Amino acid sequence: MKNADAGRLLQPQFSTAPACDERPEFLNEMRADFVGTLSRLPETLLVARDAEFYVEGQGQETKLYGYQSFLKGQSSEPSVLCGNSKEEGRRRFALFAPTLIDTYKKPKVGQSLWQFQMMTDGSKFSFWNLKSPSFPQKEQLEAWIQSAGAQYKIYQRSHNEYELLLVKKDGETTQYLSIRYDAVKSLK
């Protein structure tokens, strides 16, 4: 298993995708229930359900949009839904985000931090993610996200559904990552 993941890192699978005509809907949604910070969440376990990753370069020349479901029974492979790139050579975009958030004072399972990668190679694209070993267990998740250069907002979408929206600007490029979570009492 580890060798397969390392293979994707060193030799990503590139494929073609239709051109991105519009920005994804998740960027334009109205979100009413702004929680504030991760520290203001109630004691719960948030388990990632799906993720949408969008990269946009200034001047609209680079656009990449990917989706992944974490639900069992659905295709769990990340896929590039659309992409535009006029640049020659490879470019890589990456964001770290939690796929498991444990807000209990005495953690039940702890945090799980993943690295999400979107890459271009001319007119071909790749999207993948991998659990990251880089999160120190004693560090606060909120402090770690901010130290990685991303701004975030967390929303309560329904009684047991939350969304974490990360935004990272790097030069002329902006990366957006939306992860939707189900709140659960325990993992079975």
Side-chain angles (χ1 to χ4, degrees):
M1 184 75 170
K2 282 188 176 185
N3 291 338
D5 292 334
R8 282 192 300 179
L9 174 62
L10 300 174
Q11 298 175 345
Q13 304 273 324
F14 286 94
S15 61
T16 58
C20 294
D21 295 325
E22 298 178 7
R23 296 177 92 205
E25 192 174 305
F26 82 89
L27 294 177
N28 301 321
E29 288 179 359
M30 296 299 291
R31 295 167 177 90
D33 294 327
F34 178 58
V35 173
T37 62
L38 290 168
S39 60
R40 294 188 62 201
L41 287 169
E43 288 191 335
T44 189
L45 293 174
L46 298 180
V47 180
R49 187 177 63 230
D50 60 6
E52 292 180 82
F53 191 11
Y54 181 66
V55 178
E56 184 174 68
Q58 191 171 0
Q60 310 295 319
E61 291 186 10
T62 299
K63 291 183 184 179
L64 303 169
Y65 178 36
Y67 174 82
Q68 178 171 11
S69 172
F70 294 104
L71 297 175
K72 288 182 181 180
Q74 298 210 2
S75 173
S76 62
E77 287 296 312
S79 61
V80 177
L81 300 178
C82 65
N84 305 3
S85 178
K86 294 184 179 178
E87 298 180 33
E88 294 297 319
R90 287 188 178 179
R91 288 212 49 208
R92 179 180 66 93
F93 307 95
L95 274 176
F96 287 91
T99 55
L100 177 63
I101 300 173
D102 184 341
T103 63
Y104 285 94
K105 287 182 176 117
K106 290 186 177 183
K108 290 187 173 189
V109 293
Q111 318 294 352
S112 180
L113 190 69
W114 285 48
Q115 182 180 28
F116 292 82
Q117 295 262 345
M118 187 82 75
M119 298 178 74
T120 66
D121 188 3
S123 61
K124 293 188 176 186
F125 313 100
S126 178
F127 175 39
W128 60 269
N129 56 61
L130 182 66
K131 184 175 180 179
S132 175
S134 67
F135 182 67
Q137 291 301 318
K138 295 187 178 185
E139 189 162 356
Q140 294 293 323
L141 181 60
E142 188 168 2
W144 197 95
I145 290 172
Q146 291 172 339
S147 72
Q151 300 296 315
Y152 81 91
K153 291 186 178 180
I154 190 154
Y155 300 91
Q156 185 170 4
R157 310 261 323 196
S158 69
H159 177 67
N160 63 344
E161 180 185 358
Y162 289 82
E163 178 185 18
L164 180 69
L165 183 60
L166 294 137
V167 178
K168 182 178 181 182
K169 293 186 179 191
D170 186 18
E172 296 181 356
T173 305
T174 305
Q175 300 174 60
Y176 304 89
L177 180 62
S178 166
I179 301 182
R180 282 167 298 283
Y181 302 87
D182 289 324
V184 298
K185 294 190 187 289
S186 65
L187 297 176
K188 295 179 182 180

